[in-house]
């Protein structure tokens, strides 16, 4: 190596080092170990070779000039890319953040007590407790799902359980187990984000349900298997629930299991049953009716059941960005975008020949109570409610479509639903229709389905199509809160 080329070694080393740090940063940001390692390998190998050469030169007495300058370059490269790598480790900023989170918050725990007949779900909880010290009182966030074979061997577990630790802080544990992937339960730790104590979601009643119904559900599984349904069986526990039908319900509050269709435990038009419920079913066979086991039951009036149903529907609506429809009765709920205490709902009061007729009700306490506001918001127009949205406490829209789904009308209110008027868009301003519609032989007269309005910036937009579910349409906008409309 000549005297002229020797100084280049140090600068090439710095360039290769910068390239390797860049690739390392992209790996931390985007993930893909194999892809980036293949790219880095030749640069890393060359860097190692040059470092060895540099050590040999130093051993032979070579001393390069501008050492401080090169040291500053090395520091700049290290700090720049090092900071970017650290940034990728911050939650949601890069692939590295997920690896870091997985390292600290993901545990794999050996699942030894995996027979539901012998251990119930206590086997799951005890195996986890030995490693993580679970809270004494546990709750389930949504559902606790556990499936098992005919011999009781647990095959799958899916649940998010949580509780307060010794310091009173909520701790969550996301459980996932699949026997095909090994004998370990995956547990992801949660610091309580989005969780709150809810007595209706206590997990302990599920443990008692499995204990008290042990012989009964074991016999039921055996009956199913004898009838040719030899496959996987499952329990689904969601906490406290209300029962509207007595079919397939078993009460566990007394020593003997009672079918709720018996005289002493029957439902009536005046009362219903509320209790902690676990459902036994065959996941891969919808033709087999599930069986529900209830514990800690109480009778409640149908009026109370209805109020609870309304409150639950209101809670779901508040979590959504628009409106929701109650599949059980067709009621459509929404809450004012600027005030979640103010709610509106379209309630079916009559139905005939595929059409429904609605009244409009309002709540001023977040859905706890409702009062009729407008007995005829659609002015005797029958059909199926298309949507309901209130952009403020007073300003909103309701929509109704014909039974055929080929046409609809939108109505606007600016006095909190006391009165409505139909929205009219200037179809006469339209000079052309979408190309795809022309190819189908459609004309402007076929465009009679008006969608619910959407807010974009300071404008309202409405799309008119040839029917429900059509994507190609004609857009109109309003800049004066729906007073007038123009073709977009």
């Amino acid at each position: 190596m000549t005297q002229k080329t020797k100084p280049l070694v140090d600068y090439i080393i710095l360039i290769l080092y910068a390239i390797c740090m860049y690739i390392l940063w992209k790996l931390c940001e985007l993930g893909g170990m194999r892809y980036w390692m293949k790219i880095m390998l030749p640069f890393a190998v060359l860097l190692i070779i040059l470092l060895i050469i540099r050590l040999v030169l130093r051993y032979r007495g070579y001393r390069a000039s501008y050492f401080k300058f090169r040291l500053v370059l090395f520091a700049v490269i290290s700090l720049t890319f090092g900071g970017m790598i650290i940034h990728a480790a911050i939650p949601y900023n890069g692939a590295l953040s997920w690896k870091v989170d997985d390292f600290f918050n993901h545990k794999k725990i050996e699942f030894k007590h995996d027979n539901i007949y012998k251990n119930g779900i206590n086997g799951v909880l005890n195996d986890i407790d030995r490693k993580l010290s679970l809270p004494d009182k546990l709750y389930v966030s949504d559902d606790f799902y556990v499936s098992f074979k005919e011999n009781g061997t647990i095959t799958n577990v899916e649940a998010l359980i949580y509780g307060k630790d010794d310091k009173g802080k909520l701790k969550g544990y996301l459980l996932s187990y699949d026997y095909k992937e090994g004998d370990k339960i995956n547990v992801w730790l949660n610091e309580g984000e989005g969780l709150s104590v809810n007595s209706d979601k206590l997990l302990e009643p599920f443990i008692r349900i499995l204990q008290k119904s042990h012989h009964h559900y074991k016999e039921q599984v055996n009956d199913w298997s004898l009838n040719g349904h030899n496959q996987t069986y499952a329990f689904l526990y969601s906490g406290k629930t209300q029962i509207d039908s007595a079919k397939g319900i078993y009460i566990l509050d007394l020593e003997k299991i009672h079918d709720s269709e018996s005289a002493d435990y029957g439902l009536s038009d005046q009362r219903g049953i509320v209790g902690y419920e676990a459902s036994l079913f065959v996941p891969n066979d919808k033709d087999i009716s599930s069986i529900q086991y209830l514990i800690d039951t109480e009778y409640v009036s149908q009026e109370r059941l209805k109020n609870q149903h309304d409150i639950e529907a209101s809670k779901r609506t508040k979590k959504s960005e628009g409106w929701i429809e109650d599949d059980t009765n067709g009621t459509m709920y929404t809450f004012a975008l600027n005030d979640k205490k103010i709610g509106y709902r379209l309630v079916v009061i009559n139905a005939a020949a595929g059409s429904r007729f609605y009244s409009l009700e309002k709540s001023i306490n977040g859905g706890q109570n409702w009062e009729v506001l407008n007995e005829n918001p659609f002015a005797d127009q029958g059909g199926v409610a298309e949507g309901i949205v209130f952009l403020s406490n007073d300003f909103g829209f309701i929509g109704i479509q014909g039974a055929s789904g080929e046409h609809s009308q939108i109505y606007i209110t600016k006095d909190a639903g006391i009165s409505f008027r139909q929205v009219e868009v200037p179809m006469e301003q339209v000079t052309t229709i979408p190309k795809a519609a022309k190819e189908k032989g459609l004309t402007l007269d076929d465009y009679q389905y008006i969608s619910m309005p959407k807010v974009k910036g300071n404008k309202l937009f409405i799309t008119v199509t040839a029917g429900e579910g059509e994507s190609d349409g004609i857009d109109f906008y309003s800049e004066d809160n729906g007073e007038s409309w123009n073709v977009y």
Side-chain angles (χ1 to χ4, degrees):
M1 183 174 290
T2 65
Q3 288 296 119
K4 292 183 178 180
T5 57
K6 287 180 181 179
L8 293 177
V9 172
D10 292 295
Y11 293 101
I12 295 174
I13 287 174
L14 286 173
I15 293 172
L16 291 172
Y17 175 65
I19 292 173
C20 289
M21 288 293 289
Y22 171 81
I23 295 172
L24 185 61
W25 165 59
K26 297 305 291 186
L27 169 63
C28 294
E29 182 184 42
L30 304 176
M33 177 71 73
R34 291 183 180 180
Y35 174 78
W36 290 109
M37 286 295 100
K38 287 180 180 179
I39 296 176
M40 181 186 286
L41 183 60
F43 295 103
V45 171
L46 186 57
L47 176 61
I48 293 171
I49 293 173
L50 289 178
L51 285 172
I52 293 173
I53 292 173
R54 185 67 183 82
L55 288 174
V56 172
L57 291 174
R58 183 178 179 84
Y59 177 76
R60 293 180 177 180
Y62 173 73
R63 295 290 186 272
S65 57
Y66 303 109
F67 172 76
K68 291 184 179 180
F69 175 70
R70 285 183 282 106
L71 182 63
V72 170
L73 285 178
F74 175 80
V76 169
I77 294 171
S78 300
L79 291 174
T80 300
F81 288 107
M84 293 163 75
I85 291 171
I86 292 173
H87 182 264
I90 299 173
Y92 313 114
N93 285 336
L96 180 60
S97 67
W98 298 107
K99 293 293 184 181
V100 172
D101 179 76
D102 191 67
F103 178 79
F104 287 105
N105 297 317
H106 179 200
K107 310 297 180 183
K108 291 187 176 183
I109 299 173
E110 187 175 1
F111 189 19
K112 297 180 179 179
H113 303 87
D114 62 348
N115 192 288
I116 195 169
Y117 294 153
K118 296 179 181 179
N119 310 111
I121 62 164
N122 282 326
V124 179
L125 301 177
N126 290 339
D127 284 347
I128 296 173
D129 185 57
R130 289 189 180 93
K131 296 293 183 180
L132 299 179
S133 298
L134 294 173
D136 293 333
K137 184 178 288 189
L138 289 167
Y139 305 83
V140 58
S141 176
D142 292 309
D143 304 316
F144 195 112
Y145 173 85
V146 54
S147 64
F148 54 96
K149 297 180 181 179
E150 182 189 353
N151 63 5
T153 301
I154 294 174
T155 57
N156 290 87
V157 176
E158 298 292 338
L160 173 56
I161 59 176
Y162 62 96
K164 289 185 176 181
D165 62 13
D166 296 337
K167 298 180 180 179
K169 294 183 178 180
L170 277 178
K171 296 290 184 180
Y173 307 83
L174 178 62
L175 315 181
S176 180
Y177 169 72
D178 186 342
Y179 79 106
K180 295 179 181 178
E181 297 178 358
D183 60 352
K184 288 183 170 56
I185 303 174
N186 290 286
V187 183
W188 286 270
L189 307 182
N190 178 308
E191 291 299 324
E193 295 90 346
L195 302 175
S196 60
V197 172
N198 182 356
S199 61
D200 288 349
K201 290 290 189 176
L202 275 170
L203 184 60
E204 184 271 339
F206 185 30
I207 297 173
R208 287 190 287 124
I209 287 175
L210 293 177
Q211 291 171 344
K212 299 200 72 171
S213 67
H214 176 266
H215 296 293
H216 190 275
Y217 82 76
K218 189 175 180 180
E219 290 177 1
Q220 181 61 67
V221 168
N222 185 57
D223 288 343
W224 281 336
S225 64
L226 291 176
N227 289 322
H229 305 294
N230 186 9
Q231 49 188 313
T232 300
Y233 309 93
F235 268 105
L236 185 69
Y237 174 77
S238 303
K240 184 172 287 188
T241 187
Q242 64 185 47
I243 303 301
D244 300 315
S245 172
K247 187 176 181 180
I249 305 296
Y250 290 86
I251 309 296
L252 306 177
D253 290 328
L254 302 177
E255 290 185 8
K256 182 180 178 181
I257 295 178
H258 288 270
D259 186 333
S260 64
E261 291 183 289
S262 66
D264 293 337
Y265 288 86
L267 299 176
S268 68
D269 293 336
Q270 288 77 39
R271 67 179 186 175
I273 298 176
V274 172
Y276 293 96
E277 178 257 345
S279 176
L280 173 68
F281 62 101
V282 182
N284 299 321
D285 196 333
K286 296 181 179 179
D287 293 331
I288 301 177
S289 299
S290 63
I291 291 176
Q292 282 76 44
Y293 295 101
L294 259 72
I295 203 165
D296 297 346
T297 56
E298 60 175 321
Y299 291 112
V300 294
S301 67
Q302 289 294 340
E303 181 180 357
R304 178 181 165 188
L305 287 177
K306 182 179 182 302
N307 289 338
Q308 290 176 341
H309 184 83
D310 291 344
I311 291 172
E312 288 301 316
S314 297
K315 288 180 180 179
R316 294 197 305 272
T317 306
K318 290 177 183 178
K319 294 178 181 179
S320 69
E321 296 182 357
W323 62 85
I324 69 163
E325 183 175 4
D326 188 336
D327 294 334
T328 62
N329 54 27
T331 300
M332 191 170 282
Y333 294 78
T334 194
F335 280 83
L337 296 182
N338 67 335
D339 189 347
K340 293 301 180 180
K341 291 183 178 179
I342 307 299
Y344 294 90
R345 67 181 185 181
L346 290 167
V347 180
V348 179
I349 57 174
N350 198 3
S355 293
R356 297 172 176 176
F357 296 87
Y358 298 85
S359 67
L360 180 71
E361 296 185 359
K362 183 178 181 178
S363 173
I364 59 174
N365 56 8
Q368 299 291 323
N369 304 99
W370 297 86
E371 293 185 359
V372 177
L373 181 67
N374 189 322
E375 295 181 348
N376 190 15
F378 292 115
D380 295 326
Q381 179 68 40
V384 179
E386 182 189 2
I388 176 171
V389 59
F390 273 75
L391 304 178
S392 67
N393 297 355
D394 302 320
F395 178 33
F397 296 85
I398 57 176
I400 192 166
Q401 59 176 292
S404 65
E406 295 178 353
H407 63 87
S408 68
Q409 292 87 41
I410 303 297
Y411 296 81
I412 185 173
T413 180
K414 292 193 174 181
D415 56 11
I418 296 175
S419 64
F420 287 88
R421 61 177 174 82
Q422 187 173 342
V423 172
E424 301 286 352
V425 293
M427 296 297 292
E428 66 277 2
Q429 294 182 11
V430 180
T431 58
T432 183
I433 63 174
K435 181 180 179 181
K438 292 180 179 179
E439 293 174 352
K440 295 178 182 178
L442 299 179
T443 66
L444 188 60
D445 292 337
D446 294 307
Y447 282 76
Q448 298 183 27
Y449 194 95
I450 306 177
S451 67
M452 293 296 293
K454 296 180 180 179
V455 179
K456 295 180 182 179
N458 60 350
K459 296 180 182 179
L460 287 173
F461 284 85
I462 279 179
T463 301
V464 181
T465 64
E468 181 185 11
E470 294 288 337
S471 56
D472 292 323
I474 303 167
D475 294 323
F476 295 85
Y477 71 94
S478 173
E479 296 180 295
D480 53 12
N481 291 330
E483 293 297 324
S484 61
W485 297 86
N486 301 287
V487 179
Y488 184 66

